[in-house]
Amino acid sequence: MKKALASVLAALSISAFAAWDRVASLQVADVAAQGEAAAKVGQMVGNPLAAASLAAALAGMPTVTFFGPAREKATMLVPFYLDMKAVAKNPQDAIDDMKVSVLYPVSISKEEFIKRHEGAVEKEGAVVVKGDLSGEDKDEEKTYVVFSKDGKWAGASDDPERAKLALADVKLAEKALKGEVVRLRVNPKAVKALAAAVKDVPGMTATNMEMINALKAFSLGLRVSDRGIDLNGSITFAEGTEYAKCGLKPLGADPLAFAGKGAFSATAEAEDCGNYGRMTDKKWADILALVKKHGGFDLSQFLARSKDGSAERYVFDIAAVIKTVTENPESFGKFDFEKFSADAEKLEETEKFTAKAPACANAGVIKGFESQWTVAERFAATVPEAAAKKPFYVTFGSISSVVKAIVPHLLALVPEEQRAAIKPVADTFAVETKTGIAAMMWRAKAEDPMRFMMRISADEIRGIGGIINAAMSMGALGGMGGGEDGDCGDEDGSDDGDDED
């Protein structure tokens, strides 16, 4: 009788002092899908061994060790909980006390699970396991595991009530990921808590606070395919807010045509997408003045701005930057970025945010460099899905173009006797690819959330991998000269350090 009464009192105390609500969730694909994604990334970066190591790490994750193998093609869900009563009193403390559970698609029975964990016992509907999900702190921590009636799912947490709460999200865990490896979903309760927590944070601007208050929910997913690595998501703003009015008018045909072949990056935004972040002649003059104030140099010597109708071009003079740095290494050393950022942020606070704004576009150019392809061609090659959408925002950028443009300037700084050895290695990664990094935003209907997609193309990833490999090769070439009088490092020529993972 006493035990029963104690259980009732415990349940009452939990319900009285903690109103746990799921505010977010992380859905994770099965191990096979994760391994396939890891293999693709390994192929892209040109390092299959790294992919194999990652796949082995995925197979040995704490959740697999704890629950056993998951059911094939079933996803795991990690719900996040906040005590909403505590949020009302002290939002920051409540966020710091956020709790997590795990909803796992088990492939073994409850009885097999109990046998898997030494000392595990079933008590009041939950299996009590010593230690946390990673198997640590067995003397102090406990994990409560509750199985669904059909035995297909197990909810786990450091609290029996939250373990049961996890089972309420089976339908969410059964949602199709559509090729994604993970999917994060954040609901309005989380946004409400965030808004309450950051409203008094130093540096929080009125514009940023207005945007957070207008935000209702968002989601973000990661997908790996033969085309590259994608981030897909959606943003929902509260109806009636200025932010909800943005993105209702799509761009016209070929919005990046203005950039031609001369740009390594370009962006185009349709009419009525908001006035925040728009450059004006006055703002540009203010930025130049701030750079002079906090950095002590004239930015216009290295970055020139020009306009052609609604489109702007920013031309970077890499040769001028390198010349200045080599002649005066301290040229940019005094730049106070923190103070510059604080003052630059104030420039955005001069006018209230409104959705009403003209269409705009801009492009980034490196002086003296021209690509093999137009930006419009490269965007279309990177995200061919854009042809079926009506985006209100598109952008493209290429790291490979920047590298190809900069390498000749850097090689010119290398002593002539070393240049012949380094140039072939540099040429292997200074190769421009047609695809790059691209993103778009669109709304299928006015009442729909804003959807976005960003892709780092497989070729761009291969290029980055090539840069890393080439840098390592050049480092090895630099070390081949040895020390003075042919010294190769340690006196005995040995290396008694452990290999890095």
Side-chain angles (χ1 to χ4, degrees), residues 246-326:
C246 295
L248 298 177
K249 298 178 180 179
L251 286 160
D254 207 3
L256 296 177
F258 75 95
K261 292 183 177 181
F264 67 88
S265 70
T267 297
E269 198 171 79
E271 182 184 1
D272 295 348
C273 285
N275 60 343
Y276 188 78
R278 298 297 180 94
M279 187 62 70
T280 62
D281 292 345
K282 181 182 184 307
K283 188 182 290 185
W284 179 245
D286 289 340
I287 289 174
L288 294 179
L290 288 179
V291 172
K292 186 72 174 177
K293 176 182 176 182
H294 297 299
F297 61 90
D298 182 4
L299 180 62
S300 63
Q301 294 180 46
F302 317 110
L303 179 61
R305 173 178 176 258
S306 62
K307 294 191 299 180
D308 182 9
S310 62
E312 301 174 347
R313 283 183 183 268
Y314 294 86
V315 181
F316 297 84
D317 192 337
I318 299 298
V321 172
I322 292 175
K323 183 175 184 296
T324 300
V325 171
T326 52

Side-chain angles (χ1 to χ4, degrees), residues 6 72 121 197 275 315 369 432 464 496:
E72 290 185 7
V121 294
N275 60 343
V315 181
F369 176 78
E432 189 180 33
I464 295 170
D496 55 5

